[in-house]
Amino acid sequence: MRHLALIALLALSACGLKPLYGGGSDGGVAGTLRQVEVATIEGKAGWLVGNALRDRIAADGPALYRLDVRLADSISGLGVRRDDSVSRERRTLRARYQLVRLSDGQTVLDASAGSDAGIDAVQSEYATIAAENTALERLSGIIADKIVSRIALYAQRNPAGAAPTP
């Protein structure tokens, strides 16, 4: 039985997979994330996404990178009742982000992330607004997770001091 586990472990290591956060908080990826400063993002969605990013990145040293994020937040009606009022909405949050190396101003990562959420538009305007706000909070966390994952992947592929991959 132990031989089977050893063979499985060797096969897994031979496939080229490596843990993204290998080395834990002392690893290269975590070290790179700690050196990313999040630039101010405009608007309520920007405040939420910025806070979520700062929580996940936990910068604690001198910044080597700046993360610039631009958001597009929209709400569109999907379902219509007999009285022509909207019964279902979709909130969409899209982010275009760039990771800029501060030493030379070069953009080393330029990507986008997005997510959307469905919202029931009920007769109570207060309840609908509360649902829209809750959806924005949830979407902000999802966007932040996607951005941090992409930066972590960049950091793994481009250890400190290495030239960016094409």
Side-chain angles (χ1 to χ4, degrees):
M1 188 67 167
R2 276 200 266 172
H3 295 314
L4 185 59
L6 183 60
I7 291 170
L9 184 61
L10 289 174
L12 182 61
S13 65
C15 74
L17 293 177
K18 304 187 282 192
L20 184 59
Y21 292 98
S25 62
D26 295 327
V29 170
T32 299
L33 288 174
R34 285 194 304 267
Q35 297 173 329
V36 175
E37 111 186 348
V38 179
T40 302
I41 310 168
E42 292 185 26
K44 179 180 180 179
W47 182 81
L48 289 167
V49 170
N51 283 342
L53 286 166
R54 287 180 195 90
D55 288 346
R56 287 156 176 78
I57 290 175
D60 67 353
L64 296 180
Y65 300 94
R66 181 185 69 242
L67 179 62
D68 296 325
V69 181
R70 289 184 311 279
L71 296 174
D73 179 24
S74 65
I75 299 175
S76 57
L78 297 176
V80 180
R81 294 184 188 96
R82 289 182 187 185
D83 64 356
D84 288 333
S85 63
V86 174
S87 63
R88 187 94 174 135
E89 297 176 340
R90 172 179 287 144
R91 184 160 210 158
T92 304
L93 186 62
R94 302 278 179 251
R96 169 85 186 272
Y97 58 95
Q98 296 176 319
L99 186 65
V100 178
R101 190 171 38 225
L102 294 175
S103 63
D104 59 6
Q106 181 180 2
T107 299
V108 296
L109 177 63
D110 187 350
S112 60
S115 190
D116 60 2
I119 302 164
D120 286 328
V122 295
Q123 297 297 332
S124 167
E125 187 175 334
Y126 176 79
T128 300
I129 291 170
E132 290 171 353
N133 287 332
T134 300
L136 181 59
E137 291 170 13
R138 190 171 54 251
L139 292 173
S140 297
I142 292 168
I143 295 293
D145 287 340
K146 289 180 177 185
I147 292 172
V148 170
S149 294
R150 184 63 180 90
I151 294 171
L153 188 59
Y154 165 80
Q156 182 186 45
R157 292 179 178 165
N158 301 285
T165 56

